[in-house]
Amino acid sequence: MPDGMVVTDQAAREGTGGRPERAAGWNVPGYTALKALGSGGFGDVVLARHDASGTLTAIKFLRRELLSDARFAEMFRAEAAVLAAMDDPNVVRLYEYLESPSGA
């Protein structure tokens, strides 16, 4: 089952970093992980390519333990919904939000 928040972002095109090591165990069907962009308290971000279109994207993987916190998970889902509803050239575009038992 897929897990991840898929966004397009100029930072994805300009990202630095090495291999997408953390993402190796996490898979979002339809995307190929290319390299790690960063890691923080909420999870990891990888540069990926959308297989069908070739579009470069950034995928943010939420840490599993955060998703198991019902209050945090509700806040994260609400943030994703707000981001998905935005249409502004200065704000990253959210393509899709996915969850599974292994993360979001």
Side-chain angles (χ1 to χ4, degrees), residues 11-12 14-21 34-39 45 47:
E14 299 170 357
T16 61
R19 301 166 33 93
E21 295 170 18
L34 301 174
K35 66 180 176 178
L37 293 177
S39 183
V45 179
L47 173 64

PDB file of all heavy atoms in Angstrom, residues 11-12 14-21 34-39 45 47:
ATOM      1  N   ALA A  11      12.354  23.227  -4.854  1.00  0.00           N
ATOM      2  CA  ALA A  11      13.429  22.642  -4.057  1.00  0.00           C
ATOM      3  C   ALA A  11      13.755  21.231  -4.522  1.00  0.00           C
ATOM      4  O   ALA A  11      14.895  20.781  -4.441  1.00  0.00           O
ATOM      5  CB  ALA A  11      13.048  22.627  -2.580  1.00  0.00           C
ATOM      6  N   ALA A  12      12.751  20.518  -5.015  1.00  0.00           N
ATOM      7  CA  ALA A  12      13.013  19.173  -5.520  1.00  0.00           C
ATOM      8  C   ALA A  12      13.967  19.227  -6.698  1.00  0.00           C
ATOM      9  O   ALA A  12      14.836  18.389  -6.846  1.00  0.00           O
ATOM     10  CB  ALA A  12      11.700  18.500  -5.946  1.00  0.00           C
ATOM     11  N   GLU A  14      16.202  21.515  -7.195  1.00  0.00           N
ATOM     12  CA  GLU A  14      17.489  22.051  -6.782  1.00  0.00           C
ATOM     13  C   GLU A  14      18.068  21.316  -5.575  1.00  0.00           C
ATOM     14  O   GLU A  14      19.036  21.751  -4.997  1.00  0.00           O
ATOM     15  CB  GLU A  14      17.320  23.534  -6.426  1.00  0.00           C
ATOM     16  CG  GLU A  14      16.841  24.351  -7.596  1.00  0.00           C
ATOM     17  CD  GLU A  14      16.442  25.753  -7.206  1.00  0.00           C
ATOM     18  OE1 GLU A  14      16.488  26.078  -6.002  1.00  0.00           O
ATOM     19  OE2 GLU A  14      16.081  26.524  -8.103  1.00  0.00           O
ATOM     20  N   GLY A  15      17.447  20.213  -5.196  1.00  0.00           N
ATOM     21  CA  GLY A  15      17.831  19.520  -3.966  1.00  0.00           C
ATOM     22  C   GLY A  15      19.259  19.040  -3.965  1.00  0.00           C
ATOM     23  O   GLY A  15      19.874  18.829  -4.994  1.00  0.00           O
ATOM     24  N   THR A  16      19.761  18.909  -2.775  1.00  0.00           N
ATOM     25  CA  THR A  16      21.089  18.363  -2.592  1.00  0.00           C
ATOM     26  C   THR A  16      20.955  17.113  -1.753  1.00  0.00           C
ATOM     27  O   THR A  16      19.920  16.824  -1.195  1.00  0.00           O
ATOM     28  CB  THR A  16      22.009  19.364  -1.862  1.00  0.00           C
ATOM     29  OG1 THR A  16      21.443  19.628  -0.581  1.00  0.00           O
ATOM     30  CG2 THR A  16      22.142  20.643  -2.654  1.00  0.00           C
ATOM     31  N   GLY A  17      21.994  16.379  -1.645  1.00  0.00           N
ATOM     32  CA  GLY A  17      21.954  15.201  -0.793  1.00  0.00           C
ATOM     33  C   GLY A  17      22.240  13.962  -1.585  1.00  0.00           C
ATOM     34  O   GLY A  17      22.332  13.970  -2.792  1.00  0.00           O
ATOM     35  N   GLY A  18      22.308  12.874  -0.846  1.00  0.00           N
ATOM     36  CA  GLY A  18      22.709  11.617  -1.449  1.00  0.00           C
ATOM     37  C   GLY A  18      21.537  10.752  -1.831  1.00  0.00           C
ATOM     38  O   GLY A  18      20.510  11.219  -2.291  1.00  0.00           O
ATOM     39  N   ARG A  19      21.703   9.485  -1.589  1.00  0.00           N
ATOM     40  CA  ARG A  19      20.717   8.496  -1.995  1.00  0.00           C
ATOM     41  C   ARG A  19      19.504   8.532  -1.075  1.00  0.00           C
ATOM     42  O   ARG A  19      19.613   8.899   0.072  1.00  0.00           O
ATOM     43  CB  ARG A  19      21.371   7.113  -1.930  1.00  0.00           C
ATOM     44  CG  ARG A  19      22.581   6.986  -2.821  1.00  0.00           C
ATOM     45  CD  ARG A  19      23.391   5.747  -2.472  1.00  0.00           C
ATOM     46  NE  ARG A  19      22.585   4.651  -2.008  1.00  0.00           N
ATOM     47  CZ  ARG A  19      22.100   3.680  -2.773  1.00  0.00           C
ATOM     48  NH1 ARG A  19      22.372   3.657  -4.036  1.00  0.00           N
ATOM     49  NH2 ARG A  19      21.372   2.706  -2.266  1.00  0.00           N
ATOM     50  N   PRO A  20      18.338   8.083  -1.553  1.00  0.00           N
ATOM     51  CA  PRO A  20      17.141   8.064  -0.735  1.00  0.00           C
ATOM     52  C   PRO A  20      17.109   6.855   0.182  1.00  0.00           C
ATOM     53  O   PRO A  20      16.246   5.994   0.088  1.00  0.00           O
ATOM     54  CB  PRO A  20      16.015   8.004  -1.781  1.00  0.00           C
ATOM     55  CG  PRO A  20      16.634   7.314  -2.934  1.00  0.00           C
ATOM     56  CD  PRO A  20      18.086   7.735  -2.930  1.00  0.00           C
ATOM     57  N   GLU A  21      18.061   6.766   1.104  1.00  0.00           N
ATOM     58  CA  GLU A  21      18.214   5.573   1.928  1.00  0.00           C
ATOM     59  C   GLU A  21      16.972   5.266   2.751  1.00  0.00           C
ATOM     60  O   GLU A  21      16.516   4.142   2.814  1.00  0.00           O
ATOM     61  CB  GLU A  21      19.426   5.725   2.841  1.00  0.00           C
ATOM     62  CG  GLU A  21      20.720   5.791   2.063  1.00  0.00           C
ATOM     63  CD  GLU A  21      21.885   6.168   2.928  1.00  0.00           C
ATOM     64  OE1 GLU A  21      21.782   6.060   4.161  1.00  0.00           O
ATOM     65  OE2 GLU A  21      22.907   6.562   2.363  1.00  0.00           O
ATOM     66  N   LEU A  34      14.823   9.155  -6.266  1.00  0.00           N
ATOM     67  CA  LEU A  34      16.110   9.453  -6.881  1.00  0.00           C
ATOM     68  C   LEU A  34      17.191   9.763  -5.857  1.00  0.00           C
ATOM     69  O   LEU A  34      18.301   9.263  -5.964  1.00  0.00           O
ATOM     70  CB  LEU A  34      15.973  10.628  -7.853  1.00  0.00           C
ATOM     71  CG  LEU A  34      14.974  10.423  -8.989  1.00  0.00           C
ATOM     72  CD1 LEU A  34      14.815  11.702  -9.797  1.00  0.00           C
ATOM     73  CD2 LEU A  34      15.405   9.265  -9.870  1.00  0.00           C
ATOM     74  N   LYS A  35      16.876  10.627  -4.872  1.00  0.00           N
ATOM     75  CA  LYS A  35      17.868  10.944  -3.857  1.00  0.00           C
ATOM     76  C   LYS A  35      17.203  11.609  -2.661  1.00  0.00           C
ATOM     77  O   LYS A  35      16.123  12.178  -2.770  1.00  0.00           O
ATOM     78  CB  LYS A  35      18.981  11.827  -4.401  1.00  0.00           C
ATOM     79  CG  LYS A  35      18.542  13.227  -4.815  1.00  0.00           C
ATOM     80  CD  LYS A  35      19.739  14.012  -5.344  1.00  0.00           C
ATOM     81  CE  LYS A  35      19.319  15.372  -5.859  1.00  0.00           C
ATOM     82  NZ  LYS A  35      20.472  16.135  -6.321  1.00  0.00           N
ATOM     83  N   ALA A  36      17.880  11.534  -1.533  1.00  0.00           N
ATOM     84  CA  ALA A  36      17.393  12.170  -0.311  1.00  0.00           C
ATOM     85  C   ALA A  36      17.553  13.679  -0.426  1.00  0.00           C
ATOM     86  O   ALA A  36      18.562  14.164  -0.930  1.00  0.00           O
ATOM     87  CB  ALA A  36      18.176  11.648   0.895  1.00  0.00           C
ATOM     88  N   LEU A  37      16.522  14.410   0.019  1.00  0.00           N
ATOM     89  CA  LEU A  37      16.606  15.870   0.043  1.00  0.00           C
ATOM     90  C   LEU A  37      16.810  16.386   1.456  1.00  0.00           C
ATOM     91  O   LEU A  37      17.395  17.436   1.647  1.00  0.00           O
ATOM     92  CB  LEU A  37      15.339  16.491  -0.544  1.00  0.00           C
ATOM     93  CG  LEU A  37      15.102  16.275  -2.030  1.00  0.00           C
ATOM     94  CD1 LEU A  37      13.772  16.872  -2.456  1.00  0.00           C
ATOM     95  CD2 LEU A  37      16.242  16.874  -2.847  1.00  0.00           C
ATOM     96  N   GLY A  38      16.282  15.678   2.444  1.00  0.00           N
ATOM     97  CA  GLY A  38      16.439  16.136   3.817  1.00  0.00           C
ATOM     98  C   GLY A  38      15.694  15.245   4.787  1.00  0.00           C
ATOM     99  O   GLY A  38      14.938  14.360   4.407  1.00  0.00           O
ATOM    100  N   SER A  39      15.943  15.518   6.055  1.00  0.00           N
ATOM    101  CA  SER A  39      15.333  14.752   7.124  1.00  0.00           C
ATOM    102  C   SER A  39      15.136  15.679   8.305  1.00  0.00           C
ATOM    103  O   SER A  39      15.942  16.582   8.544  1.00  0.00           O
ATOM    104  CB  SER A  39      16.248  13.586   7.514  1.00  0.00           C
ATOM    105  OG  SER A  39      15.632  12.807   8.503  1.00  0.00           O
ATOM    106  N   VAL A  45      12.355  13.585   3.365  1.00  0.00           N
ATOM    107  CA  VAL A  45      11.906  14.069   2.062  1.00  0.00           C
ATOM    108  C   VAL A  45      12.881  13.550   1.016  1.00  0.00           C
ATOM    109  O   VAL A  45      14.094  13.646   1.195  1.00  0.00           O
ATOM    110  CB  VAL A  45      11.844  15.613   2.015  1.00  0.00           C
ATOM    111  CG1 VAL A  45      11.386  16.090   0.642  1.00  0.00           C
ATOM    112  CG2 VAL A  45      10.932  16.154   3.110  1.00  0.00           C
ATOM    113  N   LEU A  47      13.678  13.265  -3.353  1.00  0.00           N
ATOM    114  CA  LEU A  47      13.399  13.667  -4.723  1.00  0.00           C
ATOM    115  C   LEU A  47      12.975  12.409  -5.460  1.00  0.00           C
ATOM    116  O   LEU A  47      13.625  11.364  -5.354  1.00  0.00           O
ATOM    117  CB  LEU A  47      14.663  14.254  -5.360  1.00  0.00           C
ATOM    118  CG  LEU A  47      14.588  14.577  -6.847  1.00  0.00           C
ATOM    119  CD1 LEU A  47      13.559  15.680  -7.108  1.00  0.00           C
ATOM    120  CD2 LEU A  47      15.953  14.994  -7.375  1.00  0.00           C
TER     121      LEU A  47
END
